[in-house]
Amino acid sequence: IHLNPVRANMVSDPATYPFSSHRAYLGLDVSPWLTTDFALSLLARELTRARDAYRFFVQAGIGITGENWLTGHPEEPRVLGDDRFLAGLRLERRLRCRLTLTELVDQVCREHSTEPADLAAPGRLRHHARLRAVVLDRALRLRIATLSDVARHFHRSTPGLSRSLQHYRSTEPLLFGGSSIDPE
């Protein structure tokens, strides 16, 4: 977002654009309504180093164009940076599962004698809601898909699916939660 003025050819340096929070992240402006501490703390513990890392990250994005510029890192889709940038972050690292969402749905359905089409069909059967929550739980834990991906797959709303997941995790974690899936 902070590079939008650069991509729109309004400025060559995002720090010169006055209508952005970029300057506050760099420590050049103070906006009492803006909190930058959390985002910067993800880059480094010490504020000066965090601001330097942030500046480097944003500057590295200048000139990146095309439809791939918002694609996350291949090993960590939450990160829009290169290998060096990723290595500097303090993220929980887990191997990404090689199963696809469709394969995961098929596996859960086989385990519970249900057809995958039943989980995507209109209706509010409790059993199907639980199984959708199982799929979502495993997809998130194994980093196969996001909440939005699973919601689209099942033709459900993200808030509704999120509520199903919360209910599932709070009431039946042992019944459905154990993952017998091998991520490889």
Side-chain angles (χ1 to χ4, degrees):
I1 291 172
H2 291 162
L3 286 176
N4 283 347
V6 175
R7 289 191 179 103
N9 294 317
M10 298 169 73
V11 294
S12 60
D13 179 358
T16 61
Y17 186 72
F19 307 108
S20 166
S21 59
H22 178 69
R23 293 178 55 78
Y25 279 90
L26 294 175
L28 303 174
D29 285 343
V30 175
S31 298
W33 50 267
L34 180 65
T35 304
T36 61
D37 299 350
F38 175 74
L40 290 172
S41 74
L42 297 173
L43 300 171
R45 290 184 183 171
E46 198 261 314
L47 184 59
T48 303
R49 289 187 61 219
R51 284 182 173 151
D52 288 343
Y54 169 77
R55 180 182 296 107
F56 175 79
F57 173 70
V58 172
Q59 291 293 326
I62 294 177
I64 296 176
T65 59
E67 57 185 70
N68 293 4
W69 72 272
L70 273 181
T71 302
H73 190 280
E75 292 178 27
E76 181 52 71
R78 298 176 293 174
V79 174
L80 301 176
D82 61 12
D83 291 337
R84 212 170 93 207
F85 181 77
L86 179 64
L89 296 177
R90 297 181 317 263
L91 295 174
E92 177 185 330
R93 289 286 185 83
R94 293 178 286 172
L95 289 176
R96 185 173 213 150
C97 183
R98 292 189 182 153
L99 281 177
T100 66
L101 179 56
T102 301
E103 292 168 338
L104 175 63
V105 171
D106 290 344
Q107 183 174 34
V108 170
C109 286
R110 275 193 311 276
E111 291 171 9
H112 298 280
S113 303
T114 302
E115 292 297 319
D118 293 341
L119 299 186
R124 299 176 70 180
L125 292 176
R126 186 172 291 174
H127 177 68
H128 293 159
R130 279 191 207 131
L131 291 181
R132 285 189 292 269
V134 170
V135 170
L136 176 58
D137 182 60
R138 290 185 188 177
L140 293 175
R141 290 180 195 272
L142 297 171
R143 296 181 46 223
I144 293 170
T146 66
L147 170 61
S148 296
D149 294 333
V150 176
R152 276 191 302 276
H153 185 85
F154 290 132
H155 311 291
R156 295 295 190 274
S157 71
T158 53
L161 200 54
S162 179
R163 282 190 300 275
S164 292
L165 178 64
Q166 287 176 322
H167 178 73
Y168 158 74
R169 285 182 174 173
S170 68
T171 61
E172 304 181 50
L174 297 176
L175 181 59
F176 287 102
S179 177
S180 61
I181 297 173
D182 179 8
E184 298 298 316

